[in-house]
Amino acid sequence: MTALTRASGLPRAAAVVLLLAAAGALVLAMTTANYAELHTILDAGVAVLSGVLALLLWDMGARTKSAFVKWLSVGLGLTFALDMTHVLVSIDWGGVLTPLANARSVLRPATWSPSAYLLPIAVGGALWRLSRDRGGIGGFAAATVALAGLLFLLFQQVSPYSPPGFLGMTRPALFGAPLLWLVVGMWAWRLRNRHRLTLPIAAASGVLFLGHLAMLYSQAPSDSQSMIAHVGKIAAYLVLLLWVMKMASEDMRDRIGAETALAALNADLDRQVAQRTSELLSAHEHLDRESSERRRADAKALEQVARLSLLHQITRAIGDRQDLDSIYQVAVRSVEEQLPVDFACLCTYDAAARTLTVAAVGAKSRELGLSLAAPDPMVFDVDANHFTECVQGAVLYEPDISAIEASFQAQLALAGLRSLAAAPLQMESKVFGCFIAARLAPDAFASADCEFLRQLSEHVALAAHQVELYDALQAAYDDLRQTQQSVMQQERLRALGQMASGIAHDINNALSPVALYTEAMLETEKGLSPAGRNQLEVIRRAVEDVGHTIGRMREFYRQREPQLPGAPLQLNELARQVVDLTRPRWADMSMQRGAVVTVETDLAQDMPLVLGAESEIREALTNLVFNAIDAMPEGGTLSLRTAPTDEPGWVRIDVADSGVGMDAEARRRCMEPFFTTKGERGTGLGLAMVYGVAQRHGAEVDVQSAPGQGTTFSLIFPAATRSAAKGAELEAPSPMRLLLVDDDPVLLKALSDALGNDGHLITPANDGQAGIDAFVAGQDGFPFDAVITDLGMPYINGRQVAAAIKSTSPETPVILLTGWGQGMLSGVEGIPNIDMVLSKPPKLRDVRAALARHQRRAAE
């Protein structure tokens, strides 16, 4: 029985998979829930496993030259294409992938059913060709592709579900799938002595028969019957995968056994040679010459046996290791000590740069090893150092390197080394390194030494390749496990992040004219009434708070944006603003529920300033006020107090209520994200946001509460020093000639008017190309002092505008405006041609600060 026809029993791991799948199917059968998230995970698992099996079987077929295995790989590969399409169209894509999401209604119903028929038909076709000893792959692949297309078009016209009919089936279109798997399983069982993969196929067919049988009674994509079918499909793929892996391990075991038998035969040969040598020594004198020759032959044979034994020992040693560094070190040191040689090293090859890098050095030549591998490994050119022949796959031998003018050989020659041999590390015709050995004497390597190095390099290359495969598989398993563990926890944040990603840019663009005109009116319109000015201040603060809220929404799915330095703030003024902003909430309670909330303020005089983000602290206080109102459903007293603390250099602001209070457990966990005592009315994010604001401002949060005695939240801030407060003051820039580029005409006019009121000479451009043309034209007469451009524009975006301006005038500062926030970018240092990034809606003080900063740099 050959290796291709020798059957293998069911792996234990596959039996465990089948038991787990049966248990899971039993649990699902006892429930009637809708498993939408589980459906997505199982769909992705089915697609990934079919793809892995396709690649594994193709590689197996290429190594064993088995057309049958390649036929199976083609069927699984086309099934993977249909399954992956089925998964991808279920994702809400955006941007250029939007058409894929829009095609969901067409592609998703017509991809699962074709794959249910395609795979059993392809496997059956492979079994039929195997039974008739057919060969070739092209015709089979073309027929399978045509079948996939025909099934895809056919199921475009077939309704996936129907009312219960014959035997209660709701998916009659899939009636043929379990029958096909039943036929394939029986046929594979009959052919179990023709190929070693037929028995695993028979077992997997049985599982797939049961899974597709359950699918006949599915009434929705995510119901229990559908999930049982998906579990069965994954279980069948895992059984097939584990069976193939078991075959590979059995092949390795057989190989080791053969090598052991060879070693025993060699030992027996040694005994026979020794016995024959003893007989020849006692023979007649006229046979002395022949005896001498025979002794030399015997010595050579013994040397070869010793080399084979050494090769076996090194192979066993590197086979027990799972990291490249230790494999390289074992191989290098074993060659140095047991071949032996005076120097050995292993180098990795970069085909793109055509360089070799020293990766491991032996311990014999310590000083030379340190010079080559520490502190940074030596990198040397392949062609300049005469290693071209080695990286092309041949063994290189230099009998005397003292006359070679090359950096690597020169270092070896300085250490007294004269002869050198190098063998390639090669896997599947691809060279990825070289094994180099050297000796002190010239012409010191025999052909047997070079052959031994070549054989050892093959074993090292195989071990390295296995480590890479193991690491890749382990990483895939770890990623899958981590994804499964975190997907439920991140679902709510991901949904909020997707929403914020879609609307942040449009909201920021829409808010920009409001912010600019409001700020300009507050600065330039001196005849405003106190009430009108107060209302404009409220509008300005509300616009800033909306912009910061959009920015914080992005924090749920990307890293927090860099913040501008804090501004000096008066906590008393913030407390008054919060009372005004929340007045509709606590004032309406008396009208809606008859519960009266009395608001009291106790604000200390001459409070020190604090440095911070005004909108963040205001929103944190607003959240505390709302929580206090929610804690007083029957009404009560809400108090806002400010005062310096007993410890110098700190100030506090308290938000206190006379509500229901909190017990010790709620007080301990109140800052945790998603922890709430409000039931479905609460998100559990308000106090977590307050805690985050406090942490970013170096403040402390103190909570005093007891059941029935109300709650007091205290934010304790470090007071700003005079130098810090003075340093936060903004400097107004002198008049400049500015080029403004933006495709939003409202924002362009608002920013032009605001900066024009500051005395700047403004040239607007309504798209990227117009901005570039205006800048080039201005260079001939009156060049621009600075350029402010939007990031997202059609045809030519802000990055391209900046690149064109910098290529014409590298000294001209370019300020980038973006409605997506700075978090989308990697910092000014990582953005070519951009001197500063400002978020939308732009604030006049931020724009002025940026212009003033560039004026100071130009003056220096």
Side-chain angles (χ1 to χ4, degrees):
M1 185 177 292
T2 65
L4 287 177
T5 60
R6 184 176 64 248
S8 177
L10 177 69
R12 294 179 181 177
V16 172
V17 167
L18 291 176
L19 290 176
L20 292 176
L26 182 60
V27 171
L28 291 170
M30 293 187 295
T31 62
T32 58
N34 189 331
Y35 301 95
E37 293 85 355
L38 180 61
H39 183 205
T40 302
I41 294 173
L42 293 180
D43 271 346
V46 167
V48 171
L49 284 174
S50 62
V52 170
L53 277 171
L55 294 174
L56 183 62
L57 290 177
W58 184 267
D59 183 67
M60 180 179 178
R63 291 176 179 275
T64 60
K65 294 181 171 55
S66 172
F68 174 67
V69 179
K70 288 186 177 181
W71 299 334
L72 295 177
S73 174
V74 170
L76 282 165
L78 290 173
T79 303
F80 163 73
L82 291 172
D83 289 341
M84 185 54 68
T85 304
H86 186 72
V87 172
L88 292 178
V89 298
S90 66
I91 300 174
D92 293 327
W93 297 102
V96 297
L97 297 180
T98 301
L100 185 61
N102 294 336
R104 180 182 306 161
S105 59
V106 177
L107 294 179
R108 187 168 175 83
T111 49
W112 205 94
S113 299
S115 68
Y117 280 93
L118 175 64
L119 187 56
I121 295 174
V123 174
L127 292 172
W128 180 79
R129 293 172 71 91
L130 175 66
S131 65
R132 284 159 178 74
D133 295 325
R134 298 291 182 90
I137 188 66
F140 181 85
T144 308
V145 171
L147 175 62
L150 181 61
L151 289 172
F152 180 83
L153 295 176
L154 176 63
F155 279 94
Q156 291 283 352
Q157 312 301 323
V158 177
S159 175
Y161 298 95
S162 63
F166 177 68
L167 297 179
M169 289 187 295
T170 57
R171 299 197 69 175
L174 296 178
F175 179 77
L179 296 180
L180 285 173
W181 279 119
L182 182 61
V183 172
V184 168
M186 296 174 62
W187 198 357
W189 174 259
R190 292 185 59 187
L191 297 176
R192 63 186 179 277
N193 294 326
R194 294 295 300 272
H195 196 281
R196 63 193 305 190
L197 278 179
T198 52
L199 188 57
I201 290 173
S205 299
V207 179
L208 289 169
F209 163 74
L210 296 176
H212 285 82
L213 197 62
M215 181 58 79
L216 296 178
Y217 298 93
S218 171
Q219 298 182 3
S222 304
D223 63 4
S224 299
Q225 290 76 12
S226 178
M227 296 301 98
I228 292 172
H230 283 75
V231 169
K233 205 167 186 179
I234 288 181
Y237 286 171
L238 286 175
V239 166
L240 186 56
L241 177 63
L242 293 171
W243 215 317
V244 172
M245 293 174 66
K246 181 183 178 184
M247 292 177 184
S249 64
E250 288 176 349
D251 292 343
M252 181 61 72
R253 183 187 61 199
D254 294 341
R255 178 179 177 179
I256 294 174
E259 291 178 350
T260 304
L262 177 62
L265 291 175
N266 288 333
D268 183 66
L269 177 62
D270 290 343
R271 291 192 297 271
Q272 295 180 17
V273 170
Q275 181 180 0
R276 181 62 177 164
T277 302
S278 177
E279 294 174 356
L280 290 175
L281 289 174
S282 62
H284 199 272
E285 292 184 358
H286 74 274
L287 297 177
D288 285 345
R289 180 177 300 175
E290 183 179 350
S291 298
S292 298
E293 294 177 355
R294 179 60 59 89
R295 283 195 297 271
R296 288 194 295 271
D298 290 343
K300 186 175 181 180
L302 288 172
E303 180 182 2
Q304 184 65 26
V305 170
R307 294 286 171 81
L308 291 175
S309 177
L310 173 59
L311 181 62
H312 177 69
Q313 293 176 10
I314 297 175
T315 303
R316 291 289 300 272
I318 64 178
D320 294 336
R321 286 160 173 79
Q322 295 296 336
D323 64 287
L324 290 176
D325 291 338
S326 63
I327 289 175
Y328 292 163
Q329 284 295 334
V330 167
V332 168
R333 295 194 177 190
S334 299
V335 169
E336 270 194 347
E337 295 171 1
Q338 301 181 39
L339 189 57
V341 296
D342 300 303
F343 171 80
C345 74
L346 193 146
C347 303
T348 58
Y349 174 52
D350 185 346
R354 292 194 62 79
T355 59
L356 287 170
T357 303
V358 177
V361 180
K364 271 195 172 182
S365 185
R366 183 174 180 82
E367 293 183 0
L368 179 58
L370 290 175
S371 68
L372 292 177
D376 295 320
M378 179 180 180
V379 179
F380 55 93
D381 185 83
V382 168
D383 300 317
N385 289 273
H386 306 282
F387 279 91
T388 306
E389 183 180 349
C390 184
V391 299
Q392 290 176 348
V395 176
L396 172 68
Y397 176 50
E398 295 288 351
D400 191 349
I401 62 174
S402 60
I404 298 178
E405 296 181 358
S407 58
F408 182 76
Q409 285 86 341
Q411 282 198 265
L412 298 184
L414 287 175
L417 299 169
R418 298 291 299 277
S419 55
L420 176 146
L425 298 178
Q426 187 172 357
M427 178 55 60
E428 298 179 351
S429 302
K430 180 181 179 181
V431 176
F432 63 90
C434 292
F435 199 124
I436 301 174
R439 286 175 173 159
L440 295 172
D443 200 11
F445 286 90
S447 59
D449 296 328
C450 295
E451 177 62 20
F452 175 80
L453 283 177
R454 185 190 65 78
Q455 295 177 358
L456 176 61
S457 298
E458 291 179 355
H459 286 272
V460 173
L462 179 60
H465 185 62
Q466 290 176 342
V467 167
E468 291 179 356
L469 293 177
Y470 176 82
D471 291 342
L473 183 60
Q474 187 63 44
Y477 284 151
D478 292 342
D479 290 344
L480 179 60
R481 184 166 54 252
Q482 183 178 2
T483 301
Q484 291 171 341
Q485 293 173 352
S486 62
V487 65
M488 295 301 297
Q489 180 181 358
Q490 295 179 353
E491 188 63 27
R492 294 173 69 186
L493 297 179
R494 186 168 63 87
L496 180 58
Q498 290 174 349
M499 178 188 69
S501 175
I503 67 176
H505 179 265
D506 293 339
I507 291 179
N508 283 329
N509 271 347
L511 288 176
S512 296
V514 179
L516 289 170
Y517 278 124
T518 301
E519 202 166 351
M521 289 180 67
L522 286 171
E523 292 181 357
T524 60
E525 297 295 333
K526 306 300 182 182
L528 289 172
S529 64
R533 182 170 294 277
N534 183 58
Q535 291 168 358
L536 286 175
E537 287 285 353
V538 172
I539 293 174
R540 179 183 62 82
R541 288 194 297 269
V543 169
E544 290 181 358
D545 289 349
V546 171
H548 284 280
T549 299
I550 293 299
R552 282 191 297 277
M553 288 172 66
R554 287 193 298 268
E555 294 171 8
F556 286 103
Y557 66 100
R558 65 163 65 109
Q559 198 172 12
R560 181 173 177 84
E561 297 181 6
Q563 299 293 325
L564 292 174
L569 305 174
Q570 174 57 257
L571 290 181
N572 288 349
E573 181 62 28
L574 283 177
R576 296 187 186 96
Q577 294 173 5
V578 169
V579 171
D580 291 338
L581 287 172
T582 59
R583 185 180 304 276
R585 177 75 175 272
W586 51 262
D588 288 348
M589 286 186 62
S590 60
M591 293 183 289
Q592 292 177 355
R593 296 182 296 185
V596 178
V597 175
T598 303
V599 177
E600 298 178 352
T601 58
D602 182 10
L603 308 178
Q605 300 297 320
D606 300 326
M607 279 282 289
L609 299 177
V610 298
L611 287 180
E614 178 182 349
S615 62
E616 288 195 8
I617 298 176
R618 182 166 55 243
E619 185 163 355
L621 294 174
T622 302
N623 266 291
L624 293 177
V625 170
F626 286 163
N627 280 353
I629 295 172
D630 291 338
M632 299 184 292
E634 304 301 326
T637 301
L638 171 66
S639 302
L640 275 78
R641 299 186 293 268
T642 62
T645 63
D646 296 335
E647 182 180 354
W650 293 81
V651 294
R652 66 187 297 147
I653 180 167
D654 302 334
V655 179
D657 64 72
S658 58
V660 295
M662 294 185 290
D663 58 20
E665 176 65 13
R667 189 170 61 252
R668 181 179 65 83
R669 298 187 58 194
C670 65
M671 298 295 179
E672 294 181 7
F674 304 116
F675 175 79
T676 179
T677 59
K678 303 177 185 178
E680 295 182 355
R681 295 186 301 109
T683 64
L685 296 176
L687 290 180
M689 183 277 292
V690 172
Y691 181 76
V693 170
Q695 291 293 304
R696 289 192 290 275
H697 287 79
E700 299 177 0
V701 181
D702 180 56
V703 184
Q704 300 294 329
S705 183
Q709 300 181 18
T711 302
T712 299
F713 278 92
S714 300
L715 298 181
I716 305 171
F717 293 91
T721 62
R722 291 185 177 181
S723 59
K726 183 178 179 180
E729 295 179 358
L730 298 177
E731 175 185 351
S734 59
M736 306 172 67
R737 188 164 187 262
L738 303 177
L739 173 61
L740 305 185
V741 185
D742 201 303
D743 61 331
D744 186 341
V746 179
L747 173 59
L748 188 64
K749 185 177 187 308
L751 189 57
S752 299
D753 292 345
L755 292 177
N757 290 337
D758 287 350
H760 300 294
L761 182 61
I762 307 301
T763 299
N766 57 8
D767 58 45
Q769 186 59 52
I772 295 173
D773 295 340
F775 184 84
V776 172
Q779 291 299 104
D780 297 333
F782 300 96
F784 293 98
D785 299 312
V787 176
I788 302 176
T789 179
D790 186 20
L791 171 60
M793 295 183 293
Y795 306 114
I796 298 180
N797 59 33
R799 295 177 186 267
Q800 295 169 307
V801 171
I805 289 172
K806 289 293 187 179
S807 64
T808 304
S809 176
E811 296 80 11
T812 302
V814 178
I815 301 172
L816 187 69
L817 293 180
T818 172
W820 287 294
Q822 292 169 317
M824 181 181 178
L825 306 170
S826 57
V828 174
E829 295 80 1
I831 310 174
N833 307 311
I834 301 299
D835 296 283
M836 180 169 289
V837 178
L838 296 178
S839 295
K840 292 182 180 178
K843 304 177 185 63
L844 278 178
R845 60 177 178 271
D846 294 341
V847 177
R848 290 166 179 161
L851 295 174
R853 187 177 298 113
H854 287 301
Q855 279 189 338
R856 287 197 303 271
R857 291 179 181 173
E860 293 173 358

